[in-house]
């Protein structure tokens, strides 16, 4: 679709995207063609100033719903925010015509092209319904024919399954594609989407919807009483379309069951959407007439269990992630911890509470809070300088692995999305999130970055494939994010470099390193220094150019907790941590400059060391029987306070992220 020229009053820039032209407009919004800094094309939907508060609320709901849907045969949301108080959403640009345009210009689809359309649009519906969303306006105008297959778009009037329906004189949808129950006040659900899908397929095959078009009373009467005209549809597609056009919504199959029918062979549930996307993609030669889109977020066909692979590769059984900086000068590192085995070590740090040595966490708790959907209880104190700022599910994947981020004003955990691993920066300025679908891409890695003050929500490209960019670690400055690049197969991943993101400028630095190091990169004593463990066991401090500054040997395995300044004895020292040589349950603290051992934290009562919380205490885990406790412990290894507790099985499936308030 060629964009039209901009009009007087149109913005030249929306967020970090340049506005290149108009793609369309309606009563409440305008859709622009935009370009990112590196030339990738996007679609920008900007609500008009004339929209009322109800429209704005609906627009915000639209964005929330779109975030839930996994990127299978759909156009994915890339960024959101406000421009001079007006909300906008940036989505993937699908450079291809709508089905409605194709039907008008060259007539009905035939054979393989029709079947790919049917499979692709069903795959999109299955993904939409899996997220708890109903589209409610599927029609030829809302299906784009991209080079890599069909895409379902426009969630402008979709609603969550549990939301209230519009009734009375307000019809939600396009009449020739609406199910009988939508006219009777019973509301719409997933079965109505299946009815609309079948009507769309009939239109694609014959050039007209199964109950015709025209004035509303006539169309309504035919939908309620007449049999559909299926034209020359044949075989299993005709049979399936007929079932989906049943007057009784209970007689229609689910989108997943319908997709399995068209695929014609058994597919495991976790691989259904991937297989549907693969089957909907046209052969390379057939796709030539449609211009290729340059910025694609469709889940590639890299395997059915991409999310499960990420779980196996990164999300160790329990991850209590902590970032702290107990420091005299205001600079220090971060710390994280995990329990249970992992195919690779846990990420080096998570957030970075900038807690000075003078700030000590109280040893008593006065309030409690719950992690949504779990039996995990947080024990807190209003005077705490750090808190559990986010939580996300690692396993099982069947429930969508929901993630939650804590609202700084209300202290409530707010839904952030499915298959997301959010990490809140020190003081909550940013939220960075890796998606568990990242391994399914074949082109490059990405990370989602949300600016909490403005609501700007962008997706940044990090390292190219092959290789996986995993483990997001904030520096104590709250601005720089560190990730490690891995290569190899699950179970034998090897460090291959690192990525540093400047959240303020949205810039990304990627550094590939040869040699195959152990574990993951960690922040050193400042934002210009990193730590890693060499293949031979030496612990090196390196600059952002990858050059080694100094190395130490014979210190044990690096704990992958960033360096921090602590109160040790009568003074302070900036240290890094290792599992003590010969005594791996103990934690050795070493001076970052001289390599001198400054202290030993005995295993004591704790099961797993998880980093430091302030200048005098560490974060640790204790598991006994069926219960796991997150505790505050002293450098003597003794427990001082309970921070969180819950069933051991749940804490193995949930990752808690601690950061500075």
């Amino acid at each position: 679709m060629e964009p039209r020229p901009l009009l007087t009053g149109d913005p030249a820039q929306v967020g970090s995207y340049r506005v290149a032209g108009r793609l369309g407009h309606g009563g409440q919004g305008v859709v622009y063609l935009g370009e990112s800094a590196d030339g990738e094309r996007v679609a920008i939907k900007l609500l008009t100033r004339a929209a009322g508060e109800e429209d704005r609320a609906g627009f915000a709901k639209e964005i929330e719903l779109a975030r839930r849907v996994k990127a299978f045969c759909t156009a994915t949301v890339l960024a959101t925010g406000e421009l001079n108080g007006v909300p906008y959403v940036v989505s993937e640009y699908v450079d291809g015509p709508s089905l409605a345009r194709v039907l008008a210009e060259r007539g009905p689809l035939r054979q393989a092209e029709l079947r790919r359309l049917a499979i692709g649009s069903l795959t999109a519906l299955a993904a939409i319904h899996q997220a708890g969303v109903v589209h409610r306006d599927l029609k030829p105008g809302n299906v784009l024919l991209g080079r890599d297959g069909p895409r379902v778009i426009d969630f402008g009037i979709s609603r969550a399954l549990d939301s209230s329906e519009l009734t009375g004189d307000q019809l939600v949808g396009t009449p020739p594609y609406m199910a009988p129950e939508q006219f009777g006040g019973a509301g719409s659900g997933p079965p109505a989407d299946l009815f609309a899908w079948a009507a769309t397929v009939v239109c694609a095959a014959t050039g007209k919807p199964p109950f015709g078009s025209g004035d509303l009373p006539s169309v309504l009467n035919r939908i309620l009483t007449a049999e559909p005209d299926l034209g020359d549809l044949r075989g299993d597609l005709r049979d399936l379309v007929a079932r989906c056009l049943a007057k009784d919504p209970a007689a229609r199959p689910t989108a997943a069951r319908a997709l399995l029918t068209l695929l014609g062979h058994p597919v495991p549930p976790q691989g259904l959407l991937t297989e549907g996307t693969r089957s909907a993609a046209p052969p390379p030669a057939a796709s030539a007439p449609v211009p290729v889109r340059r910025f694609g977020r469709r889940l590639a066909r890299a395997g059915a269990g991409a999310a499960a692979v990420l779980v196996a590769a990164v999300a160790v059984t329990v991850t209590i992630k902590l970032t702290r900086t107990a420091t005299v000068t205001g600079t220090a590192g971060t710390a994280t911890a995990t329990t249970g085995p992992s195919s690779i070590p846990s990420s080096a740090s998570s957030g970075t509470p900038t807690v000075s040595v003078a700030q000590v966490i109280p040893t008593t708790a006065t309030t409690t809070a719950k992690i949504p959907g779990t039996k995990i209880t947080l024990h807190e104190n209003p005077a705490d300088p750090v808190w559990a700022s986010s939580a996300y599910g690692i396993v099982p994947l069947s429930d969508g692995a929901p993630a939650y981020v804590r609202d700084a004003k209300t202290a409530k955990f707010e839904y952030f999305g499915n298959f997301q691993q959010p990490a809140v920066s020190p003081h909550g300025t940013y939220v960075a999130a890796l998606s568990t679908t990242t391994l399914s891409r074949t082109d490059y890695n990405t990370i989602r970055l949300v600016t909490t003050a403005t609501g700007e929500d962008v997706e940044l490209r990090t390292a190219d494939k092959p290789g996986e960019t995993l483990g997001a670690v904030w520096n104590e400055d709250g601005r720089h994010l560190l990730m490690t690049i891995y290569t190899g197969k699950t179970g034998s991943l090897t460090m291959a470099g690192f990525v540093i993101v400047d959240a303020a400028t949205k810039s990304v630095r990627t550094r590939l390193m040869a040699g195959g190091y152990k574990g993951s990169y960690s922040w050193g004593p400042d934002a210009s220094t990193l730590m890693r463990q060499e293949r031979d066991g030496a612990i090196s401090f390196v600059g952002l150019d990858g050059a080694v500054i100094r190395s130490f040997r014979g210190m044990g395995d690096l704990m992958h907790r960033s360096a921090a300044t602590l109160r040790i004895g009568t003074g302070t020292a900036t240290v890094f941590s290792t599992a003590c040589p010969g005594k791996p349950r103990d934690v050795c603290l070493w001076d970052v400059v001289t390599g001198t051992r400054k202290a030993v934290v005995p295993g004591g009562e704790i099961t797993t060391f998880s980093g430091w919380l302030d200048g005098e205490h560490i974060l640790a885990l204790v598991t006994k029987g069926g219960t796991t406790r997150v505790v505050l412990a002293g450098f003597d290894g003794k427990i001082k306070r309970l921070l969180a507790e819950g069933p051991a099985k749940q804490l193995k499936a949930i990752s808690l992220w601690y950061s500075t308030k």
Side-chain angles (χ1 to χ4, degrees):
M1 177 186 300
E2 290 299 320
R4 292 183 292 276
L6 296 175
L7 303 178
T8 302
D10 283 339
Q13 188 87 9
V14 174
S16 58
Y17 299 93
R18 183 181 73 84
V19 178
R22 280 186 165 226
L23 293 175
H25 70 279
Q28 299 298 332
V30 181
V31 181
Y32 298 100
L33 174 66
E35 289 186 354
S36 66
D38 57 1
E40 304 291 356
R41 304 178 90 186
V42 298
I44 304 170
K45 185 176 181 180
L46 181 68
L47 203 65
T48 63
R49 289 190 175 277
E53 289 302 319
E54 185 176 346
D55 299 309
R56 291 171 184 263
F59 191 74
K61 185 65 173 179
E62 172 186 344
I63 295 171
E64 178 188 342
L65 296 178
R67 282 291 188 193
R68 296 187 190 180
V69 179
K70 289 180 286 185
F72 291 93
C73 296
T74 59
T76 310
V77 171
L78 306 175
T80 62
E82 288 193 355
L83 178 67
N84 300 323
V86 179
Y88 67 83
V89 58
V90 181
S91 63
E92 173 187 6
Y93 176 69
V94 181
D95 196 356
S98 69
L99 174 59
R101 178 180 170 185
V102 169
L103 293 175
E105 292 182 353
R106 63 178 176 89
L109 309 186
R110 292 288 182 258
Q111 299 176 348
E113 188 179 18
L114 177 63
R115 193 170 188 88
R116 288 194 297 269
L117 169 80
I119 290 175
S121 49
L122 266 182
T123 300
L125 282 185
I128 291 167
H129 294 171
Q130 189 179 95
V133 177
V134 181
H135 190 290
R136 303 211 304 184
D137 195 26
L138 185 64
K139 58 186 178 183
N142 284 338
V143 179
L144 300 183
L145 302 182
R147 183 168 184 172
D148 56 358
R151 292 307 175 80
V152 172
I153 62 168
D154 194 359
F155 290 86
I157 59 172
S158 61
R159 295 291 184 268
L161 289 174
D162 58 357
S163 68
S164 60
E165 294 284 345
L166 295 177
T167 57
D169 294 332
Q170 293 177 293
L171 290 177
V172 180
T174 304
Y177 302 91
M178 292 172 63
E181 62 269 23
Q182 291 179 278
F183 295 101
S188 59
D193 279 350
L194 270 295
F195 189 98
W197 169 82
T200 298
V201 171
V202 170
C203 188
T206 68
K208 59 182 181 180
F211 299 98
S213 56
D215 61 278
L216 178 58
S218 298
V219 172
L220 172 58
N221 181 63
R222 290 192 293 268
I223 289 175
L224 294 177
T225 63
E227 292 300 314
D229 180 1
L230 304 185
D232 59 356
L233 272 177
R234 298 177 184 276
D236 60 344
L237 184 55
R238 182 186 180 95
D239 293 340
L240 180 60
V241 163
R243 289 168 55 200
C244 291
L245 290 174
K247 308 297 185 190
D248 181 3
R252 302 172 206 147
T254 64
R257 175 56 58 186
L259 179 56
L260 277 171
T261 299
L262 286 190
L263 292 176
H265 60 272
V267 180
Q270 66 271 23
L272 181 61
L273 299 182
T274 299
E275 179 63 14
T277 301
R278 186 194 67 79
S279 299
S287 63
V290 181
V292 65
R293 61 184 175 82
R294 297 181 58 209
F295 188 83
R297 287 202 54 214
R298 179 179 60 85
L299 288 181
R301 53 187 87 163
V309 170
L310 183 59
V311 167
V314 186
V316 291
T317 353
V318 179
T319 312
I320 304 298
K321 301 197 178 231
L322 163 78
T323 70
R324 76 140 309 276
T325 44
T327 169
V328 177
T329 63
T331 59
T334 60
T336 56
T338 62
T339 66
S342 173
S343 55
I344 64 172
S346 62
S347 8
S349 336
S350 338
T352 312
T354 49
V355 181
S356 70
V357 175
Q359 288 179 282
V360 178
I361 296 176
T363 55
T364 58
T366 59
T367 63
T368 61
K370 288 283 189 180
I371 302 296
T374 75
K375 295 182 179 179
I376 300 171
T377 301
L378 304 176
H379 296 268
E380 301 178 316
N381 189 313
D384 289 338
V386 299
W387 67 348
S389 57
S390 68
Y392 56 83
I394 297 175
V395 288
L397 297 178
S398 58
D399 65 356
Y404 300 89
V405 171
R406 210 161 188 185
D407 186 289
K409 295 180 180 179
T410 66
K412 294 181 178 179
F413 286 92
E414 303 291 345
Y415 174 78
F416 186 79
N418 286 356
F419 302 103
Q420 301 280 315
Q421 298 183 346
V424 181
S425 71
H427 306 299
T429 304
Y430 304 104
V431 181
L434 287 169
S435 171
T436 55
T437 59
T438 184
L439 294 186
S440 63
R441 297 190 66 111
T442 59
D443 43 7
Y444 51 81
N445 294 273
T446 62
I447 188 161
R448 180 181 173 191
L449 184 66
V450 178
T451 304
T452 55
T454 64
E456 184 181 23
D457 191 336
V458 302
E459 184 170 72
L460 303 177
R461 178 172 177 167
T462 56
D464 290 342
K465 299 291 183 94
E468 309 301 338
T469 305
L470 306 172
V473 189
W474 284 104
N475 183 257
E476 66 84 23
D477 62 11
R479 171 172 173 167
H480 295 94
L481 190 74
L482 170 66
M483 292 170 284
T484 301
I485 303 171
Y486 294 94
T487 58
K489 297 181 179 180
T490 302
S492 59
L493 295 181
T494 302
M495 290 168 58
F498 59 86
V499 172
I500 294 178
V501 176
D502 186 323
T505 62
K506 309 296 187 298
S507 60
V508 178
R509 171 186 292 194
T510 300
R511 173 69 63 175
L512 296 177
M513 304 293 296
Y517 311 100
K518 298 169 60 178
S520 59
Y521 278 91
S522 307
W523 286 111
D526 53 55
S528 64
T529 309
L530 307 178
M531 297 186 297
R532 69 173 181 232
Q533 188 149 30
E534 311 290 347
R535 186 184 295 276
D536 63 4
I539 296 172
S540 295
F541 287 77
V542 299
L544 301 188
D545 59 357
V548 175
I549 300 172
R550 57 184 175 275
S551 294
F552 301 110
R553 298 182 182 277
M555 294 183 171
D557 290 334
L558 186 65
M559 297 293 289
H560 301 290
R561 318 285 180 254
S562 299
T565 302
L566 309 175
R567 181 181 291 109
I568 298 177
T570 58
T572 61
T574 302
V575 299
F576 63 93
S577 59
T578 69
C580 290
K583 293 185 177 181
R585 288 196 72 248
D586 295 347
V587 179
C588 285
L589 305 180
W590 309 87
D591 189 280
V592 297
V593 176
T594 66
T596 304
R597 190 170 70 181
K598 306 298 292 186
V600 175
V601 180
E605 304 174 72
I606 66 177
T607 303
T608 306
F609 166 70
S610 299
W612 22 79
L613 277 169
D614 59 26
E616 299 178 0
H617 298 102
I618 65 173
L619 180 71
L621 303 176
V622 178
T623 299
K624 291 183 179 180
T627 300
T628 294
R629 295 186 295 156
V630 183
V631 299
L632 179 77
F635 288 168
D636 58 0
K638 301 294 184 181
I639 297 174
K640 309 298 183 183
R641 172 184 155 189
L642 177 64
L643 299 174
E645 62 182 335
K649 289 184 178 180
Q650 285 195 348
L651 275 168
K652 286 182 180 180
I654 296 292
S655 181
L656 300 181
W657 184 279
Y658 280 80
S659 62
T660 311
K661 290 181 178 178

